[in-house]
Amino acid sequence: MHLDALPDSARAGDGPTDVNAVRDVSRAVSAAHLFIYLAPETTEEAAELGVTDRGPAYLAFRSAAMGAVPWQVTLAAFYNFSPRAVRAMAGVWD
């Protein structure tokens, strides 16, 4: 959607952010993709590839679009995760 198509009140800098609207969008986006990472089939696929721990498997699936990158790149991309949790995925691409 082009910014010109947005109502004046939705453009950045035109007033306070509607926190409830942001929360609604966040929930909708999460619902659209989160199930992929948490479905039982993903655990089975990861185990077949030799990744049996759920945390590293989850992070590997989340960062797979970046390719076989070191855990530090995943940490930088998903900065809201604990560094200790992301470091646990070291070696998943081996």
Side-chain angles (χ1 to χ4, degrees):
M1 173 183 286
H2 193 273
L3 285 178
D4 291 337
L6 294 172
D8 289 339
S9 61
R11 294 190 185 132
D14 286 346
T17 300
D18 182 350
V19 176
N20 290 324
V22 172
R23 188 175 298 120
D24 290 344
V25 170
S26 175
R27 286 180 180 154
V29 170
S30 289
H33 77 89
L34 192 58
F35 74 93
I36 295 168
Y37 311 116
L38 302 177
E41 294 84 358
T42 59
T43 303
E44 295 165 8
E45 288 292 326
E48 287 179 20
L49 296 169
V51 182
T52 56
D53 292 331
R54 185 179 192 106
Y58 169 79
L59 290 164
F61 285 128
R62 287 285 306 260
S63 64
M66 295 186 288
V69 296
W71 68 267
Q72 293 91 336
V73 174
T74 300
L75 178 61
F78 303 111
Y79 57 88
N80 57 320
F81 286 98
S82 157
R84 186 181 317 164
V86 179
R87 191 178 310 120
M89 73 171 285
V92 297
W93 300 115
D94 297 340

